[in-house]
Amino acid sequence: MSPTMFDRYLRAFGETLTMVGVSVTIAIASGLTLALLLVATAPGGLYPRQRFNKGLSVVVNVFRAVPFIILLVALLPFTRLIVGTTLGIWAAVVPLSIHLIAFYTRVAQVSLNEVDHGLIEAARAMGFRRWHIVRHVILPEALPGLIGGMTVCVIAMINASAMAGAVGAGGLGDLAIRYGYERYETQVLFEIIVILIVLVTSVQFGGEWLSRRVDHRR
């Protein structure tokens, strides 16, 4: 491999990590907040608000229903408004984040709902404030499931970032399209597939290891 091509691989890999890292941070922080709101405002929750809960649930479902490639195109005006351009890695961060927020919201909501309701009632009986129940009971108990969901979220983001490369977002997907597809350099395409497989496998094993470490029920 020539030094020039090696530099292209390194730059594309760095762009993919940047896109995924920033988007995952935004998506997980926002998704977890929305999931907590959905759980807390549900009937029987800590702050029951039925209308708010249904409205928020509908909004989440709407964004979940839109395929990423359509969402990416539909958000172009919004992306230009936020980052001033529709090309490059920062332009890709906007649709990637919005796409994964709805996805992680539902994943986190499932984990939060699996917390033993008896523990919440016991905390209430002991005089815990509602915020303290969230902070000291619900989040710690749901942590293994939340980390498992984050792992799935990161892998989905890696796949979506490769797709975003097809529309000029940069990264490994962009390199695969420009060299592997448009120039028929199949070796480049094969090498990028191997890199993505190694990356996804590393994330999967790392997430499973971390989830086991924080699971005190084992």
Side-chain angles (χ1 to χ4, degrees):
M1 181 185 298
S2 67
T4 304
M5 199 62 204
F6 183 72
D7 288 341
R8 289 194 179 107
Y9 275 103
L10 277 183
R11 186 168 60 250
F13 188 70
E15 289 173 350
T16 294
L17 290 185
T18 302
M19 273 191 289
V20 172
V22 175
S23 302
V24 162
T25 301
I26 295 171
I28 287 177
S30 304
L32 182 58
T33 302
L34 292 176
L36 283 169
L37 282 173
L38 283 170
V39 172
T41 59
L46 296 173
Y47 301 89
R49 298 287 187 278
Q50 191 170 1
R51 287 186 179 179
F52 176 83
N53 185 274
K54 285 187 176 179
L56 182 57
S57 184
V58 169
V59 172
V60 172
N61 284 342
V62 167
F63 279 96
R64 278 192 67 198
V66 182
F68 172 67
I69 194 69
I70 296 176
L71 185 68
L72 188 150
V73 175
L75 288 175
L76 285 178
F78 181 69
T79 300
R80 187 181 290 109
L81 178 68
I82 297 296
V83 297
T85 179
T86 57
L87 296 174
I89 59 174
W90 296 111
V93 165
V94 176
L96 282 171
S97 302
I98 293 175
H99 174 65
L100 261 295
I101 285 173
F103 177 75
Y104 187 68
T105 297
R106 290 305 186 193
V107 173
Q109 185 184 6
V110 171
S111 299
L112 294 171
N113 279 331
E114 287 179 348
V115 174
D116 187 354
H117 202 68
L119 292 174
I120 298 173
E121 290 303 319
R124 274 178 161 167
M126 293 170 65
F128 276 45
R129 293 184 177 181
R130 287 179 286 192
W131 167 245
H132 288 164
I133 294 175
V134 173
R135 171 69 179 81
H136 298 290
V137 178
I138 295 178
L139 286 177
E141 289 295 320
L143 191 56
L146 293 175
I147 291 176
M150 289 177 194
T151 305
V152 175
C153 188
V154 173
I155 292 172
M157 188 70 80
I158 292 171
N159 294 334
S161 73
M163 199 185 308
V167 292
L172 292 169
D174 178 58
L175 193 64
I177 292 294
R178 285 191 294 116
Y179 286 85
Y181 178 69
E182 295 177 353
R183 300 187 185 185
Y184 302 105
E185 296 184 22
T186 54
Q187 183 180 346
V188 174
L189 196 59
F190 176 75
E191 289 171 350
I192 289 176
I193 290 172
V194 172
I195 292 171
L196 288 173
I197 291 173
V198 172
L199 185 58
V200 167
T201 304
S202 302
V203 170
Q204 182 66 47
F205 286 155
E208 289 177 356
W209 176 82
L210 188 58
S211 181
R212 286 195 300 271
R213 291 276 295 177
V214 301
D215 191 353
H216 60 82
R217 295 168 296 186
R218 291 175 179 272

